[in-house]
Amino acid sequence: MSSPRLQRLLETRPHARRNLGLTFAGGGNRAFYQLGLLHQWAERILPRTAAIAACSAGACVVTLFLAERERITRDFWRARRQHVTKNVDFTRLLRGRGIIPHGRIYRDTLLCAYADGGLQRIRAQPFPILIVTAEIPRLMTSTAAALLGFSAYNLEKRVRRNMVHPTLSRRLGFRPHVVDARECETPEELTDLVIASSSSPPFTPVGRFRGRRLLDGGLIDNVPASAAEDVDGVQYNLVMMTRPYPAEVTGQQGKRLYIAPTVVPPVTAWDYTNPDLIDATIAQGEREAELHSPALTALLAR
C-alpha cells in the first residue's frame, strides 16, 4: 500500500476531478528533470491524475517516485556505479565484460527501487501507469531492428528540427506495446518492463518481457502523450519533456501543456561518471517548476 503521505496526495478531494493525464518523456539521465518537477508539483497534480504514460527513462523516474524509495535508490546508484570512470571502457574486455557498464547497473538500481514495498506502492495507485515500448517487426532480427529503429529516429530528428512526436519508425513496421505497470507481479517483472522501454543497445540490452522482443518506447513516441489520452476520463494532459524545444511546440497546445527545460540539463543521457550532474538536473527541475507554475495553474483551472 502507499505510505500515509502519498495516500493523502492520491485521495480525491471533494472538488477535484480526475481528468488529468501525465506524460513522462524519455531522455536518459535528462529525465531526472521531471523528478524535480514532481518534487514541487506532486501535491497539485496527483489528486487530479487519471492516467500516466511514460517511456524509457521517464518510466524509470515516475515509477521511482511512486515507489517512494528515491533517497535509498539514489544512494544505491551512487555506490553501485562508484567504479565507473568511463562510460565506454575497453579495458573491461580484459576482465571478460562488455565495454559499457550501464545495463547491469541500471537493472540493479531498478530492482532496488521496487524492493521492500516499492512495487506494492506502484500497484496500489488508483490510475493506470502505462509504460510504452516498441515491438520489433516479426521477421526482423533484434540487431537489425535496433540499427534500423535508432537510425530512423535520429534521421527524423535531424530532418524535422521541431519534431516532438516521431512517426517514421511506425512506418517501418515498429508497433507500440503498452503495459500498465500495476500488472507486474514482482520487482523483477517491472524491472524487465522498464528495461524494455529503455532498450537502447549498446547501453541497455534488447528488452524481453513476457516473451516479446522490445526496444525503447521512444522509437514509437519519445513523448507518448497519446497513450494517456486513450484512457477514459483524461481531458487534459501535462506533458513533461527532457530537453529544450522551440516555443512554438511547447506551452499550451490544445488540451496538452508541454513543459520543457529552458536550457539543456547539465547531465548527458548516458553519463554514469558524474552523479553530481544528476543532482544538478533534479535541482534544475525544482527551480523551473516555479517558472512553469502559472501555466500549470491555468491548466488545472480548466
Side-chain angles (χ1 to χ4, degrees), residues 80-146:
R80 181 66 177 81
R81 46 95 6 233
Q82 194 167 15
H83 67 283
V84 178
T85 58
K86 298 178 181 178
N87 290 306
V88 179
D89 185 358
F90 288 96
T91 66
R92 288 170 57 88
L93 292 174
L94 301 176
R95 303 189 295 275
R97 301 175 182 176
I99 63 173
I100 297 176
H102 299 65
R104 187 69 252 178
I105 296 173
Y106 189 30
R107 175 174 291 278
D108 290 347
T109 303
L110 291 172
L111 287 170
C112 174
Y114 307 145
D116 296 331
L119 174 66
Q120 286 72 24
R121 295 184 191 101
I122 292 167
R123 284 169 56 91
Q125 302 310 312
F127 40 72
I129 305 160
L130 305 175
I131 309 301
V132 179
T133 67
E135 191 161 6
I136 293 173
R138 187 169 58 88
L139 299 179
M140 196 175 296
T141 67
S142 299
T143 300

Short mmCIF file of all heavy atoms in Angstrom, two decimals, residues 80-146:
data_model
loop_
_atom_site.label_atom_id
_atom_site.label_comp_id
_atom_site.label_asym_id
_atom_site.label_seq_id
_atom_site.Cartn_x
_atom_site.Cartn_y
_atom_site.Cartn_z
N ARG A 80 26.72 1.87 -6.46
CA ARG A 80 26.82 0.81 -7.49
C ARG A 80 27.68 1.24 -8.67
O ARG A 80 28.35 0.41 -9.29
CB ARG A 80 25.41 0.43 -7.95
CG ARG A 80 25.33 -0.66 -8.99
CD ARG A 80 25.81 -1.99 -8.46
NE ARG A 80 25.65 -3.03 -9.46
CZ ARG A 80 26.51 -3.22 -10.46
NH1 ARG A 80 27.57 -2.43 -10.59
NH2 ARG A 80 26.30 -4.19 -11.33
N ARG A 81 27.67 2.54 -9.00
CA ARG A 81 28.44 3.00 -10.15
C ARG A 81 29.77 3.63 -9.74
O ARG A 81 30.45 4.27 -10.53
CB ARG A 81 27.64 4.00 -11.00
CG ARG A 81 26.94 5.09 -10.28
CD ARG A 81 27.58 6.46 -10.11
NE ARG A 81 28.82 6.73 -10.76
CZ ARG A 81 29.90 7.19 -10.14
NH1 ARG A 81 29.92 7.36 -8.82
NH2 ARG A 81 30.99 7.47 -10.78
N GLN A 82 30.17 3.45 -8.49
CA GLN A 82 31.36 4.13 -7.98
C GLN A 82 32.63 3.77 -8.76
O GLN A 82 33.53 4.60 -8.90
CB GLN A 82 31.53 3.79 -6.50
CG GLN A 82 32.53 4.69 -5.79
CD GLN A 82 32.44 4.53 -4.28
OE1 GLN A 82 31.86 3.57 -3.79
NE2 GLN A 82 33.02 5.45 -3.55
N HIS A 83 32.68 2.56 -9.30
CA HIS A 83 33.87 2.13 -10.03
C HIS A 83 33.91 2.66 -11.45
O HIS A 83 34.92 2.50 -12.15
CB HIS A 83 33.91 0.60 -10.08
CG HIS A 83 32.81 0.00 -10.90
ND1 HIS A 83 31.52 -0.09 -10.43
CD2 HIS A 83 32.79 -0.50 -12.16
CE1 HIS A 83 30.76 -0.64 -11.37
NE2 HIS A 83 31.51 -0.89 -12.43
N VAL A 84 32.82 3.28 -11.91
CA VAL A 84 32.74 3.71 -13.31
C VAL A 84 33.45 5.06 -13.47
O VAL A 84 33.01 6.07 -12.93
CB VAL A 84 31.27 3.82 -13.76
CG1 VAL A 84 31.20 4.33 -15.21
CG2 VAL A 84 30.58 2.47 -13.64
N THR A 85 34.52 5.05 -14.21
CA THR A 85 35.24 6.28 -14.52
C THR A 85 35.13 6.66 -15.99
O THR A 85 35.44 7.78 -16.36
CB THR A 85 36.73 6.15 -14.15
OG1 THR A 85 37.30 5.04 -14.88
CG2 THR A 85 36.89 5.92 -12.66
N LYS A 86 34.69 5.70 -16.81
CA LYS A 86 34.48 5.94 -18.24
C LYS A 86 33.16 5.30 -18.64
O LYS A 86 32.85 4.19 -18.22
CB LYS A 86 35.60 5.33 -19.07
CG LYS A 86 36.99 5.90 -18.79
CD LYS A 86 38.02 5.18 -19.64
CE LYS A 86 39.43 5.71 -19.37
NZ LYS A 86 40.44 4.97 -20.18
N ASN A 87 32.39 6.00 -19.48
CA ASN A 87 31.14 5.42 -19.96
C ASN A 87 31.39 4.33 -20.99
O ASN A 87 30.57 3.41 -21.14
CB ASN A 87 30.24 6.52 -20.54
CG ASN A 87 29.72 7.43 -19.45
OD1 ASN A 87 29.12 6.99 -18.48
ND2 ASN A 87 29.97 8.73 -19.61
N VAL A 88 32.50 4.42 -21.69
CA VAL A 88 32.93 3.37 -22.61
C VAL A 88 34.37 3.01 -22.21
O VAL A 88 35.26 3.85 -22.30
CB VAL A 88 32.87 3.81 -24.08
CG1 VAL A 88 33.34 2.69 -25.00
CG2 VAL A 88 31.45 4.23 -24.46
N ASP A 89 34.56 1.79 -21.77
CA ASP A 89 35.86 1.40 -21.20
C ASP A 89 36.32 0.07 -21.83
O ASP A 89 35.82 -0.99 -21.48
CB ASP A 89 35.73 1.24 -19.69
CG ASP A 89 37.07 0.95 -19.02
OD1 ASP A 89 38.09 0.83 -19.73
OD2 ASP A 89 37.09 0.82 -17.77
N PHE A 90 37.24 0.15 -22.75
CA PHE A 90 37.70 -1.04 -23.46
C PHE A 90 38.51 -1.97 -22.56
O PHE A 90 38.67 -3.15 -22.87
CB PHE A 90 38.50 -0.65 -24.70
CG PHE A 90 37.65 -0.08 -25.80
CD1 PHE A 90 37.50 1.29 -25.94
CD2 PHE A 90 36.98 -0.92 -26.68
CE1 PHE A 90 36.70 1.81 -26.95
CE2 PHE A 90 36.19 -0.41 -27.69
CZ PHE A 90 36.04 0.97 -27.82
N THR A 91 39.03 -1.47 -21.45
CA THR A 91 39.79 -2.35 -20.55
C THR A 91 38.89 -3.39 -19.89
O THR A 91 39.38 -4.40 -19.38
CB THR A 91 40.51 -1.54 -19.46
OG1 THR A 91 39.54 -0.92 -18.60
CG2 THR A 91 41.39 -0.47 -20.07
N ARG A 92 37.59 -3.16 -19.90
CA ARG A 92 36.66 -4.15 -19.34
C ARG A 92 36.71 -5.46 -20.12
O ARG A 92 36.39 -6.53 -19.58
CB ARG A 92 35.24 -3.58 -19.32
CG ARG A 92 35.03 -2.49 -18.28
CD ARG A 92 33.68 -1.80 -18.46
NE ARG A 92 32.57 -2.73 -18.42
CZ ARG A 92 31.94 -3.12 -17.31
NH1 ARG A 92 32.34 -2.66 -16.13
NH2 ARG A 92 30.93 -3.96 -17.36
N LEU A 93 37.11 -5.39 -21.39
CA LEU A 93 37.22 -6.62 -22.20
C LEU A 93 38.24 -7.58 -21.59
O LEU A 93 38.10 -8.80 -21.69
CB LEU A 93 37.60 -6.27 -23.63
CG LEU A 93 36.55 -5.53 -24.46
CD1 LEU A 93 37.15 -5.13 -25.81
CD2 LEU A 93 35.31 -6.40 -24.67
N LEU A 94 39.28 -7.02 -20.96
CA LEU A 94 40.32 -7.86 -20.36
C LEU A 94 39.77 -8.65 -19.17
O LEU A 94 40.36 -9.67 -18.78
CB LEU A 94 41.49 -6.99 -19.91
CG LEU A 94 42.17 -6.17 -21.02
CD1 LEU A 94 43.25 -5.28 -20.42
CD2 LEU A 94 42.75 -7.09 -22.09
N ARG A 95 38.66 -8.19 -18.61
CA ARG A 95 38.03 -8.88 -17.48
C ARG A 95 36.81 -9.68 -17.90
O ARG A 95 36.02 -10.11 -17.07
CB ARG A 95 37.66 -7.86 -16.40
CG ARG A 95 38.86 -7.03 -15.91
CD ARG A 95 38.52 -6.19 -14.69
NE ARG A 95 37.53 -5.16 -14.97
CZ ARG A 95 37.81 -3.96 -15.46
NH1 ARG A 95 39.08 -3.64 -15.76
NH2 ARG A 95 36.86 -3.07 -15.65
N GLY A 96 36.66 -9.83 -19.23
CA GLY A 96 35.54 -10.62 -19.75
C GLY A 96 34.21 -9.93 -19.64
O GLY A 96 33.16 -10.59 -19.59
N ARG A 97 34.19 -8.61 -19.64
CA ARG A 97 32.96 -7.85 -19.51
C ARG A 97 32.75 -6.99 -20.74
O ARG A 97 33.67 -6.73 -21.51
CB ARG A 97 32.99 -6.96 -18.26
CG ARG A 97 33.18 -7.73 -16.96
CD ARG A 97 33.31 -6.77 -15.79
NE ARG A 97 33.56 -7.48 -14.54
CZ ARG A 97 33.78 -6.87 -13.38
NH1 ARG A 97 33.78 -5.55 -13.32
NH2 ARG A 97 33.99 -7.58 -12.28
N GLY A 98 31.51 -6.52 -20.92
CA GLY A 98 31.23 -5.61 -22.00
C GLY A 98 31.87 -4.25 -21.75
O GLY A 98 32.16 -3.87 -20.61
N ILE A 99 32.08 -3.50 -22.81
CA ILE A 99 32.78 -2.22 -22.68
C ILE A 99 31.90 -1.13 -22.07
O ILE A 99 32.40 -0.08 -21.67
CB ILE A 99 33.33 -1.75 -24.04
CG1 ILE A 99 32.20 -1.50 -25.03
CG2 ILE A 99 34.33 -2.75 -24.58
CD1 ILE A 99 32.66 -0.86 -26.33
N ILE A 100 30.58 -1.38 -21.99
CA ILE A 100 29.66 -0.39 -21.44
C ILE A 100 28.97 -0.99 -20.23
O ILE A 100 28.30 -2.02 -20.33
CB ILE A 100 28.63 0.03 -22.51
CG1 ILE A 100 29.37 0.72 -23.67
CG2 ILE A 100 27.57 0.95 -21.93
CD1 ILE A 100 28.51 1.10 -24.83
N PRO A 101 29.10 -0.37 -19.04
CA PRO A 101 28.60 -0.98 -17.80
C PRO A 101 27.15 -0.66 -17.47
O PRO A 101 26.61 -1.17 -16.48
CB PRO A 101 29.52 -0.36 -16.74
CG PRO A 101 29.80 1.01 -17.28
CD PRO A 101 29.89 0.85 -18.78
N HIS A 102 26.47 0.15 -18.28
CA HIS A 102 25.21 0.74 -17.87
C HIS A 102 24.09 -0.28 -17.62
O HIS A 102 23.31 -0.13 -16.68
CB HIS A 102 24.75 1.74 -18.93
CG HIS A 102 25.70 2.87 -19.14
ND1 HIS A 102 26.96 2.70 -19.64
CD2 HIS A 102 25.58 4.19 -18.90
CE1 HIS A 102 27.57 3.86 -19.72
NE2 HIS A 102 26.76 4.79 -19.27
N GLY A 103 23.98 -1.29 -18.47
CA GLY A 103 22.84 -2.20 -18.41
C GLY A 103 22.68 -2.87 -17.06
O GLY A 103 21.59 -2.88 -16.47
N ARG A 104 23.77 -3.45 -16.54
CA ARG A 104 23.69 -4.16 -15.26
C ARG A 104 23.41 -3.20 -14.10
O ARG A 104 22.63 -3.50 -13.20
CB ARG A 104 25.00 -4.90 -15.01
CG ARG A 104 25.01 -5.82 -13.82
CD ARG A 104 24.12 -7.03 -14.03
NE ARG A 104 22.92 -6.97 -13.23
CZ ARG A 104 21.95 -7.88 -13.26
NH1 ARG A 104 22.06 -8.90 -14.08
NH2 ARG A 104 20.89 -7.76 -12.51
N ILE A 105 24.06 -2.02 -14.15
CA ILE A 105 23.85 -1.04 -13.08
C ILE A 105 22.40 -0.54 -13.09
O ILE A 105 21.77 -0.40 -12.03
CB ILE A 105 24.84 0.13 -13.24
CG1 ILE A 105 26.28 -0.36 -13.06
CG2 ILE A 105 24.52 1.25 -12.24
CD1 ILE A 105 27.33 0.69 -13.37
N TYR A 106 21.89 -0.27 -14.26
CA TYR A 106 20.50 0.20 -14.40
C TYR A 106 19.53 -0.84 -13.85
O TYR A 106 18.62 -0.52 -13.07
CB TYR A 106 20.23 0.49 -15.88
CG TYR A 106 18.92 1.18 -16.19
CD1 TYR A 106 18.31 2.05 -15.30
CD2 TYR A 106 18.31 0.97 -17.42
CE1 TYR A 106 17.13 2.69 -15.63
CE2 TYR A 106 17.13 1.61 -17.77
CZ TYR A 106 16.54 2.47 -16.86
OH TYR A 106 15.36 3.10 -17.20
N ARG A 107 19.73 -2.10 -14.21
CA ARG A 107 18.86 -3.16 -13.73
C ARG A 107 18.91 -3.27 -12.20
O ARG A 107 17.87 -3.33 -11.54
CB ARG A 107 19.24 -4.50 -14.37
CG ARG A 107 18.44 -5.70 -13.83
CD ARG A 107 18.75 -6.96 -14.59
NE ARG A 107 18.22 -6.87 -15.96
CZ ARG A 107 16.96 -7.12 -16.27
NH1 ARG A 107 16.09 -7.48 -15.34
NH2 ARG A 107 16.56 -7.02 -17.52
N ASP A 108 20.10 -3.29 -11.64
CA ASP A 108 20.23 -3.41 -10.19
C ASP A 108 19.58 -2.23 -9.47
O ASP A 108 18.98 -2.39 -8.40
CB ASP A 108 21.70 -3.50 -9.80
CG ASP A 108 22.35 -4.81 -10.22
OD1 ASP A 108 21.62 -5.75 -10.59
OD2 ASP A 108 23.60 -4.89 -10.21
N THR A 109 19.68 -1.04 -10.07
CA THR A 109 19.09 0.14 -9.46
C THR A 109 17.57 0.07 -9.46
O THR A 109 16.91 0.42 -8.47
CB THR A 109 19.58 1.40 -10.18
OG1 THR A 109 21.02 1.44 -10.14
CG2 THR A 109 19.03 2.66 -9.53
N LEU A 110 16.99 -0.40 -10.57
CA LEU A 110 15.54 -0.56 -10.62
C LEU A 110 15.07 -1.60 -9.61
O LEU A 110 14.04 -1.40 -8.94
CB LEU A 110 15.10 -0.95 -12.04
CG LEU A 110 15.26 0.13 -13.11
CD1 LEU A 110 14.98 -0.45 -14.49
CD2 LEU A 110 14.34 1.32 -12.84
N LEU A 111 15.79 -2.69 -9.50
CA LEU A 111 15.42 -3.71 -8.51
C LEU A 111 15.43 -3.12 -7.10
O LEU A 111 14.57 -3.46 -6.28
CB LEU A 111 16.37 -4.90 -8.61
CG LEU A 111 16.19 -5.80 -9.84
CD1 LEU A 111 17.34 -6.80 -9.94
CD2 LEU A 111 14.86 -6.54 -9.79
N CYS A 112 16.39 -2.26 -6.83
CA CYS A 112 16.43 -1.59 -5.53
C CYS A 112 15.19 -0.71 -5.35
O CYS A 112 14.57 -0.72 -4.28
CB CYS A 112 17.70 -0.75 -5.42
SG CYS A 112 17.80 0.27 -3.93
N ALA A 113 14.81 0.02 -6.37
CA ALA A 113 13.66 0.93 -6.28
C ALA A 113 12.37 0.18 -5.97
O ALA A 113 11.51 0.68 -5.23
CB ALA A 113 13.52 1.71 -7.57
N TYR A 114 12.21 -1.01 -6.53
CA TYR A 114 10.95 -1.73 -6.42
C TYR A 114 10.93 -2.72 -5.25
O TYR A 114 9.92 -3.38 -5.02
CB TYR A 114 10.64 -2.47 -7.72
CG TYR A 114 10.71 -1.59 -8.96
CD1 TYR A 114 11.17 -2.08 -10.18
CD2 TYR A 114 10.33 -0.24 -8.92
CE1 TYR A 114 11.24 -1.29 -11.30
CE2 TYR A 114 10.40 0.56 -10.03
CZ TYR A 114 10.86 0.04 -11.23
OH TYR A 114 10.93 0.83 -12.34
N ALA A 115 12.02 -2.83 -4.52
CA ALA A 115 12.10 -3.75 -3.38
C ALA A 115 11.41 -3.14 -2.15
O ALA A 115 11.05 -1.95 -2.13
CB ALA A 115 13.56 -4.06 -3.06
N ASP A 116 11.23 -3.97 -1.13
CA ASP A 116 10.78 -3.52 0.19
C ASP A 116 9.54 -2.62 0.13
O ASP A 116 9.50 -1.54 0.72
CB ASP A 116 11.91 -2.79 0.91
CG ASP A 116 13.10 -3.71 1.20
OD1 ASP A 116 12.87 -4.93 1.36
OD2 ASP A 116 14.24 -3.22 1.26
N GLY A 117 8.53 -3.08 -0.61
CA GLY A 117 7.28 -2.35 -0.68
C GLY A 117 7.16 -1.40 -1.85
O GLY A 117 6.06 -0.88 -2.10
N GLY A 118 8.24 -1.14 -2.58
CA GLY A 118 8.18 -0.22 -3.70
C GLY A 118 7.19 -0.67 -4.76
O GLY A 118 6.35 0.13 -5.23
N LEU A 119 7.26 -1.93 -5.16
CA LEU A 119 6.33 -2.44 -6.17
C LEU A 119 4.89 -2.36 -5.66
O LEU A 119 3.98 -1.98 -6.41
CB LEU A 119 6.67 -3.90 -6.52
CG LEU A 119 5.67 -4.59 -7.45
CD1 LEU A 119 5.66 -3.93 -8.83
CD2 LEU A 119 5.97 -6.08 -7.57
N GLN A 120 4.67 -2.71 -4.40
CA GLN A 120 3.31 -2.69 -3.85
C GLN A 120 2.73 -1.28 -3.89
O GLN A 120 1.53 -1.10 -4.15
CB GLN A 120 3.33 -3.23 -2.42
CG GLN A 120 3.50 -4.74 -2.33
CD GLN A 120 4.92 -5.21 -2.67
OE1 GLN A 120 5.87 -4.43 -2.55
NE2 GLN A 120 5.06 -6.45 -3.10
N ARG A 121 3.55 -0.27 -3.64
CA ARG A 121 3.05 1.11 -3.70
C ARG A 121 2.67 1.49 -5.13
O ARG A 121 1.69 2.20 -5.35
CB ARG A 121 4.11 2.06 -3.15
CG ARG A 121 4.40 1.85 -1.67
CD ARG A 121 5.40 2.86 -1.11
NE ARG A 121 5.82 2.45 0.22
CZ ARG A 121 6.96 1.84 0.50
NH1 ARG A 121 7.83 1.60 -0.47
NH2 ARG A 121 7.26 1.48 1.74
N ILE A 122 3.44 1.02 -6.10
CA ILE A 122 3.11 1.28 -7.50
C ILE A 122 1.81 0.57 -7.88
O ILE A 122 0.92 1.16 -8.50
CB ILE A 122 4.27 0.82 -8.41
CG1 ILE A 122 5.49 1.73 -8.18
CG2 ILE A 122 3.86 0.83 -9.88
CD1 ILE A 122 6.77 1.20 -8.77
N ARG A 123 1.67 -0.68 -7.47
CA ARG A 123 0.47 -1.45 -7.81
C ARG A 123 -0.79 -0.88 -7.14
O ARG A 123 -1.90 -1.11 -7.62
CB ARG A 123 0.66 -2.91 -7.38
CG ARG A 123 1.57 -3.70 -8.31
CD ARG A 123 1.93 -5.06 -7.72
NE ARG A 123 0.78 -5.87 -7.39
CZ ARG A 123 0.19 -6.75 -8.22
NH1 ARG A 123 0.67 -6.94 -9.43
NH2 ARG A 123 -0.85 -7.45 -7.82
N ALA A 124 -0.62 -0.14 -6.06
CA ALA A 124 -1.76 0.39 -5.31
C ALA A 124 -2.28 1.72 -5.87
O ALA A 124 -3.28 2.24 -5.38
CB ALA A 124 -1.38 0.58 -3.85
N GLN A 125 -1.63 2.26 -6.90
CA GLN A 125 -2.07 3.56 -7.41
C GLN A 125 -3.48 3.45 -8.01
O GLN A 125 -3.83 2.43 -8.61
CB GLN A 125 -1.09 4.07 -8.47
CG GLN A 125 0.33 4.21 -7.99
CD GLN A 125 0.45 4.97 -6.69
OE1 GLN A 125 -0.14 6.04 -6.53
NE2 GLN A 125 1.21 4.42 -5.75
N PRO A 126 -4.28 4.53 -7.92
CA PRO A 126 -5.65 4.49 -8.43
C PRO A 126 -5.80 4.85 -9.89
O PRO A 126 -6.91 5.09 -10.37
CB PRO A 126 -6.35 5.53 -7.54
CG PRO A 126 -5.28 6.54 -7.27
CD PRO A 126 -4.00 5.75 -7.14
N PHE A 127 -4.69 4.88 -10.63
CA PHE A 127 -4.73 5.22 -12.05
C PHE A 127 -3.74 4.32 -12.79
O PHE A 127 -2.75 3.85 -12.21
CB PHE A 127 -4.37 6.68 -12.28
CG PHE A 127 -3.24 7.18 -11.42
CD1 PHE A 127 -1.93 6.79 -11.65
CD2 PHE A 127 -3.49 8.04 -10.37
CE1 PHE A 127 -0.89 7.24 -10.85
CE2 PHE A 127 -2.46 8.50 -9.55
CZ PHE A 127 -1.16 8.09 -9.79
N PRO A 128 -3.99 4.06 -14.08
CA PRO A 128 -3.03 3.27 -14.85
C PRO A 128 -1.70 4.00 -15.03
O PRO A 128 -1.66 5.22 -15.15
CB PRO A 128 -3.73 3.06 -16.20
CG PRO A 128 -4.78 4.11 -16.26
CD PRO A 128 -5.18 4.43 -14.86
N ILE A 129 -0.63 3.22 -15.02
CA ILE A 129 0.73 3.73 -15.23
C ILE A 129 1.24 3.02 -16.48
O ILE A 129 1.79 1.91 -16.42
CB ILE A 129 1.63 3.45 -14.01
CG1 ILE A 129 0.99 4.02 -12.74
CG2 ILE A 129 3.03 4.03 -14.22
CD1 ILE A 129 1.52 3.40 -11.47
N LEU A 130 1.02 3.62 -17.62
CA LEU A 130 1.22 2.96 -18.91
C LEU A 130 2.66 3.14 -19.38
O LEU A 130 3.12 4.26 -19.62
CB LEU A 130 0.24 3.53 -19.93
CG LEU A 130 -1.24 3.45 -19.52
CD1 LEU A 130 -2.11 4.15 -20.53
CD2 LEU A 130 -1.67 1.99 -19.35
N ILE A 131 3.36 2.02 -19.52
CA ILE A 131 4.74 2.01 -19.97
C ILE A 131 4.75 1.63 -21.45
O ILE A 131 4.27 0.56 -21.83
CB ILE A 131 5.60 1.03 -19.16
CG1 ILE A 131 5.41 1.26 -17.65
CG2 ILE A 131 7.05 1.14 -19.56
CD1 ILE A 131 5.78 2.63 -17.16
N VAL A 132 5.31 2.51 -22.27
CA VAL A 132 5.29 2.33 -23.72
C VAL A 132 6.61 1.71 -24.17
O VAL A 132 7.69 2.21 -23.83
CB VAL A 132 5.05 3.67 -24.43
CG1 VAL A 132 5.06 3.49 -25.95
CG2 VAL A 132 3.73 4.28 -23.96
N THR A 133 6.51 0.64 -24.96
CA THR A 133 7.68 0.01 -25.56
C THR A 133 7.45 -0.11 -27.07
O THR A 133 6.33 0.09 -27.56
CB THR A 133 7.92 -1.40 -24.98
OG1 THR A 133 6.83 -2.25 -25.39
CG2 THR A 133 8.00 -1.38 -23.47
N ALA A 134 8.51 -0.43 -27.78
CA ALA A 134 8.42 -0.62 -29.24
C ALA A 134 8.62 -2.09 -29.56
O ALA A 134 9.68 -2.66 -29.26
CB ALA A 134 9.47 0.23 -29.95
N GLU A 135 7.62 -2.69 -30.18
CA GLU A 135 7.71 -4.10 -30.54
C GLU A 135 8.45 -4.26 -31.87
O GLU A 135 8.15 -3.55 -32.85
CB GLU A 135 6.33 -4.72 -30.63
CG GLU A 135 6.35 -6.23 -30.74
CD GLU A 135 5.03 -6.88 -30.38
OE1 GLU A 135 4.06 -6.15 -30.14
OE2 GLU A 135 4.99 -8.13 -30.33
N ILE A 136 9.42 -5.16 -31.89
CA ILE A 136 10.25 -5.38 -33.07
C ILE A 136 9.43 -6.08 -34.16
O ILE A 136 8.68 -7.01 -33.88
CB ILE A 136 11.47 -6.24 -32.69
CG1 ILE A 136 12.39 -5.44 -31.75
CG2 ILE A 136 12.24 -6.72 -33.91
CD1 ILE A 136 13.53 -6.24 -31.17
N PRO A 137 9.55 -5.63 -35.42
CA PRO A 137 8.85 -6.32 -36.51
C PRO A 137 9.16 -7.81 -36.51
O PRO A 137 10.30 -8.23 -36.28
CB PRO A 137 9.40 -5.62 -37.76
CG PRO A 137 9.77 -4.24 -37.29
CD PRO A 137 10.28 -4.43 -35.89
N ARG A 138 8.17 -8.62 -36.78
CA ARG A 138 8.22 -10.06 -36.54
C ARG A 138 9.37 -10.76 -37.26
O ARG A 138 10.01 -11.65 -36.72
CB ARG A 138 6.89 -10.70 -36.95
CG ARG A 138 6.76 -12.16 -36.58
CD ARG A 138 5.33 -12.62 -36.78
NE ARG A 138 4.88 -12.42 -38.13
CZ ARG A 138 5.04 -13.31 -39.12
NH1 ARG A 138 5.69 -14.44 -38.88
NH2 ARG A 138 4.59 -13.06 -40.32
N LEU A 139 9.66 -10.39 -38.49
CA LEU A 139 10.67 -11.10 -39.27
C LEU A 139 12.06 -10.46 -39.20
O LEU A 139 12.96 -10.85 -39.94
CB LEU A 139 10.22 -11.18 -40.74
CG LEU A 139 8.91 -11.94 -40.98
CD1 LEU A 139 8.55 -11.95 -42.46
CD2 LEU A 139 9.00 -13.36 -40.44
N MET A 140 12.24 -9.54 -38.29
CA MET A 140 13.50 -8.80 -38.21
C MET A 140 14.29 -9.28 -36.99
O MET A 140 13.74 -9.53 -35.93
CB MET A 140 13.21 -7.29 -38.10
CG MET A 140 14.41 -6.41 -38.38
SD MET A 140 13.95 -4.64 -38.37
CE MET A 140 12.83 -4.58 -39.78
N THR A 141 15.60 -9.44 -37.15
CA THR A 141 16.44 -9.79 -36.01
C THR A 141 16.52 -8.60 -35.05
O THR A 141 16.31 -7.45 -35.45
CB THR A 141 17.85 -10.18 -36.44
OG1 THR A 141 18.52 -9.02 -36.97
CG2 THR A 141 17.82 -11.30 -37.49
N SER A 142 16.85 -8.88 -33.81
CA SER A 142 16.96 -7.82 -32.82
C SER A 142 18.04 -6.81 -33.19
O SER A 142 17.86 -5.59 -33.05
CB SER A 142 17.24 -8.42 -31.44
OG SER A 142 16.20 -9.27 -31.03
N THR A 143 19.18 -7.31 -33.67
CA THR A 143 20.28 -6.42 -34.04
C THR A 143 19.88 -5.50 -35.19
O THR A 143 20.12 -4.29 -35.15
CB THR A 143 21.52 -7.24 -34.42
OG1 THR A 143 21.91 -8.05 -33.31
CG2 THR A 143 22.67 -6.33 -34.82
N ALA A 144 19.27 -6.09 -36.22
CA ALA A 144 18.84 -5.29 -37.37
C ALA A 144 17.78 -4.28 -36.97
O ALA A 144 17.78 -3.14 -37.43
CB ALA A 144 18.31 -6.20 -38.47
N ALA A 145 16.88 -4.70 -36.08
CA ALA A 145 15.81 -3.80 -35.65
C ALA A 145 16.37 -2.61 -34.88
O ALA A 145 15.94 -1.47 -35.07
CB ALA A 145 14.80 -4.56 -34.79
N ALA A 146 17.34 -2.88 -33.99
CA ALA A 146 17.93 -1.78 -33.22
C ALA A 146 18.64 -0.81 -34.15
O ALA A 146 18.51 0.42 -34.01
CB ALA A 146 18.89 -2.34 -32.18
#
